[in-house]
Amino acid sequence: MDRGKPGSKMHVLSDANGLPLRVGLSAANTHDSLALKPMLSHFHMGHESHATDSKPGRLHADKAYDIPHLRRWLWGKHIGVRIASKGIDSSDRLGRRRWVIERTMSWLTGYRRLNHRYERHPRNYLAFLGLASALCCYKRFLKLTM
């Protein structure tokens, strides 16, 4: 962790097609794993039959999320994990699924306001990030319906 790193870090939770489901923002000097629980907290994790469609079935993540208490927390929520183990798995194996989120990040940073941090206040930057993700979903909807 680089304590003196300025700026912010985008956190994006997407579906299997790359559509952004939830976006978040944190300081650039915070660890990625601290954003996982808040990103998944809005999903209803109950065991009712109608609630099973609203929670993610599988989570693909990079080595930054390879922390035992996060794996236990996800297992307790009945979410399957595919996280590369530190020192064991290579990043190449995750590349088969990882390109989806990389493409989503590319879609979001394609908007000028998000490529460089022009906004001084985090709430404004987060608002633009939410607007960009809504536009990504709308563009995808237009492609599917035409």
Side-chain angles (χ1 to χ4, degrees):
M1 177 163 62
D2 185 9
R3 297 186 194 282
K5 189 173 181 183
S8 58
K9 189 183 296 186
M10 285 191 297
H11 301 281
V12 180
L13 184 67
S14 73
D15 67 355
N17 296 320
L19 291 177
L21 300 175
R22 181 135 190 208
V23 292
L25 188 67
S26 69
N29 61 354
T30 59
H31 197 266
D32 290 339
S33 63
L34 296 176
L36 183 63
K37 287 182 182 179
M39 292 294 284
L40 290 173
S41 66
H42 81 289
F43 288 107
H44 181 67
M45 300 292 184
H47 296 288
E48 299 89 22
S49 61
H50 68 277
T52 56
D53 297 333
S54 65
K55 76 175 181 74
R58 194 161 211 28
L59 178 77
H60 295 271
D62 58 5
K63 293 180 184 183
Y65 298 93
D66 185 28
I67 298 175
H69 76 83
L70 285 179
R71 285 183 181 267
R72 282 192 303 272
W73 183 78
L74 290 167
W75 184 77
K77 300 292 182 190
H78 303 286
I79 299 174
V81 263
R82 178 61 185 106
I83 301 174
S85 300
K86 293 178 185 173
I88 299 172
D89 293 333
S90 69
S91 299
D92 298 335
R93 291 185 59 201
L94 282 179
R96 289 178 283 176
R97 306 262 187 219
R98 179 109 181 117
W99 69 270
V100 175
I101 193 66
E102 294 297 336
R103 181 185 63 183
T104 304
M105 297 297 280
S106 176
W107 286 345
L108 293 175
T109 56
Y111 293 98
R112 182 174 161 254
R113 289 285 239 200
L114 298 178
N115 196 7
H116 298 288
R117 176 88 187 253
Y118 291 110
E119 300 302 321
R120 182 175 192 92
H121 298 288
R123 67 177 177 269
N124 294 345
Y125 187 75
L126 188 60
F128 279 118
L129 186 58
L131 182 61
S133 61
L135 286 173
C136 288
C137 291
Y138 178 69
K139 286 179 181 179
R140 182 71 176 170
F141 174 73
L142 284 179
K143 276 188 177 177
L144 293 175
T145 57
M146 292 188 166

